[in-house]
Amino acid sequence: MRFIPFACAALMLLSTHALADDSSATLGTGGLVLQKTDKIALVSEDLYLSPTGIRISYRFRNLTNADYATTIAFPMPAFPGGGSNSTTVVPDPANDNFMKFKTVVDGQSVPSQLEQRAFLVADGQPDKEITDKLKALHLSLVPTAEATEATINRLSNAQRKELVDAGIFDAGEGDYTGQPATLYPLWTLRSKYWRQQIFPKGKDMIVEQSYVPVVGSQSTLSLGSPDMDSDQLKHYSDTFCTDETFLKAARSLHKKLDDANPTVQAFEQYLSYVITSGGNWAGPIADFKLIVDKGDPKTLVSFCGDGVKKISPTQFELDIKNYAPKRDIDVLLLRTMPVQ
């Protein structure tokens, strides 16, 4: 497995009044408006990534001689609906807080506000926001059938057909005339959690975040297939830093699946952590530690980083001093299970 440097830190610092509103000046493609501050330093960040849970602990320091009020925002990875073919695993598919996001400040649980925006995303075309359209129909912005089904069933046949014809929902196979049926969202949800925070003078503050990630997956194994072309291989290399050693292992696994009587099933999972929209504090992250836990010793894992150490049969650790964010973290997992 090859590792190259990546950036870290998902928290963003905003000026106190820099929240998005309904004006065209602030509610742009970035949603919440970010502003840098030289008053708060990120002294350390400990980040734990696994398919079953993500935990982050930050130590912030107020560099001034007075209390400083600001807004902290935490961007979540984009959540594509995927339609009827989606294999995305959602922790709580009917809840706005579908990733069970929690925040603790200096040992005390604190509430966070949630900004959600829905977009239709297509290759080669600008993203089209449909947040207001969905809200006008009282539809949840969470792109799962569990979150939207009850409201969809209350709409008229004409309204349902219009949503399918517009590419907002997928009706599955066959011609759809608007009759009651399970419809599957096709939009992509972009979410940010945020809250007002006071950083006291002369004191470090510990901020802890935790959530259950939305783990992308596909039911088969693509990497390692002899049919993969150079563009597909480049995508894996650019995103997950898969090298020849990892490819050799993936090809070996793929051959096992082609046996007349295979003993294992294999599939891919994708875990992402948004970090590049951070970096609004004073200076780099003084002390950063990352642990990636693949969960099962038999799972193959690849992600980008430099100086990674294996610290257990399932965990990989990276320590960086004075680090500045440059890219998001994307983790590829090739998982196996016995054939039933």
Side-chain angles (χ1 to χ4, degrees):
M1 176 168 44
R2 177 170 62 95
F3 302 97
I4 64 173
F6 61 81
C8 50
L11 278 177
M12 303 183 293
L13 300 185
L14 297 83
S15 65
T16 304
H17 300 292
L19 302 182
D21 58 27
D22 59 359
S23 71
S24 60
T26 56
L27 190 55
T29 57
L32 292 173
V33 177
L34 311 183
Q35 293 187 3
K36 287 183 177 292
T37 177
D38 58 0
K39 297 178 174 60
I40 304 296
L42 181 51
V43 178
S44 67
E45 176 183 353
D46 293 333
L47 172 60
Y48 172 87
L49 298 181
S50 81
T52 57
I54 291 179
R55 302 189 299 270
I56 317 102
S57 178
Y58 306 88
R59 179 181 293 273
F60 288 102
R61 180 170 298 161
N62 184 343
L63 301 178
T64 73
N65 59 4
D67 291 352
Y68 182 71
T70 189
T71 300
I72 293 182
F74 190 97
M76 308 303 287
F79 176 16
S84 58
N85 294 320
S86 175
T87 57
T88 300
V89 179
V90 183
D92 193 352
N95 196 315
D96 279 348
N97 188 12
F98 56 89
M99 300 173 86
K100 301 182 180 180
F101 184 84
K102 298 178 182 178
T103 301
V104 174
V105 177
D106 284 344
Q108 300 295 317
S109 295
V110 296
S112 295
Q113 304 298 314
L114 176 61
E115 176 195 270
Q116 293 181 320
R117 300 172 70 194
F119 296 85
L120 293 180
V121 178
D123 290 341
Q125 300 180 25
D127 295 349
K128 179 181 179 182
E129 184 163 5
I130 58 170
T131 304
D132 290 343
K133 183 176 183 63
L134 296 179
K135 286 184 176 180
L137 294 171
H138 305 289
L139 283 162
S140 170
L141 300 184
V142 179
T144 64
E146 292 87 346
T148 58
E149 189 167 23
T151 303
I152 280 289
N153 288 337
R154 291 194 291 267
L155 299 180
S156 68
N157 286 1
Q159 286 174 312
R160 284 191 288 265
K161 187 175 188 305
E162 178 186 353
L163 290 169
V164 171
D165 290 345
I168 295 174
F169 280 89
D170 175 16
E173 297 181 358
D175 294 330
Y176 182 67
T177 61
Q179 69 275 15
T182 300
L183 302 183
Y184 303 91
L186 288 166
W187 66 84
T188 293
L189 177 66
R190 295 170 186 162
S191 305
K192 295 186 184 79
Y193 288 92
W194 60 270
R195 72 185 184 280
Q196 299 287 342
Q197 186 67 59
I198 297 176
F199 291 85
K201 64 179 181 179
K203 180 184 176 183
D204 286 3
M205 174 177 286
I206 304 298
V207 177
E208 298 170 291
Q209 313 273 21
S210 65
Y211 61 94
V212 181
V214 172
V215 180
S217 65
Q218 64 179 33
S219 58
T220 58
L221 186 65
S222 292
L223 191 66
S225 168
D227 299 328
M228 293 196 75
D229 59 33
S230 58
D231 288 341
Q232 291 171 311
L233 289 171
K234 186 176 185 302
H235 165 73
Y236 279 90
S237 177
D238 290 347
T239 307
F240 306 110
C241 294
T242 52
D243 61 8
E244 283 302 318
T245 301
F246 189 84
L247 282 175
K248 183 178 180 180
R251 290 177 182 130
S252 176
L253 178 58
H254 204 278
K255 287 181 180 179
K256 293 181 181 179
L257 305 180
D258 291 335
D259 290 345
N261 296 297
T263 59
V264 297
Q265 305 174 62
F267 59 99
E268 297 181 10
Q269 284 189 333
Y270 320 102
L271 180 63
S272 296
Y273 184 75
V274 176
I275 50 177
T276 52
S277 50
N280 290 284
W281 39 84
I285 303 166
D287 188 3
F288 172 74
K289 178 182 288 186
L290 167 70
I291 291 178
V292 174
D293 191 338
K294 62 182 182 178
D296 186 339
K298 298 186 297 296
T299 295
L300 301 177
V301 61
S302 187
F303 61 97
C304 299
D306 187 30
V308 176
K309 297 182 295 184
K310 188 173 184 179
I311 60 173
S312 82
T314 66
Q315 293 185 350
F316 299 84
E317 182 184 78
L318 174 65
D319 284 290
I320 302 178
K321 304 297 183 183
N322 297 318
Y323 201 78
K326 291 181 181 177
R327 64 174 292 168
D328 292 335
I329 303 174
D330 293 290
V331 180
L332 171 65
L333 301 161
L334 305 187
R335 306 184 71 89
T336 58
M337 61 178 60
V339 172
Q340 300 297 322

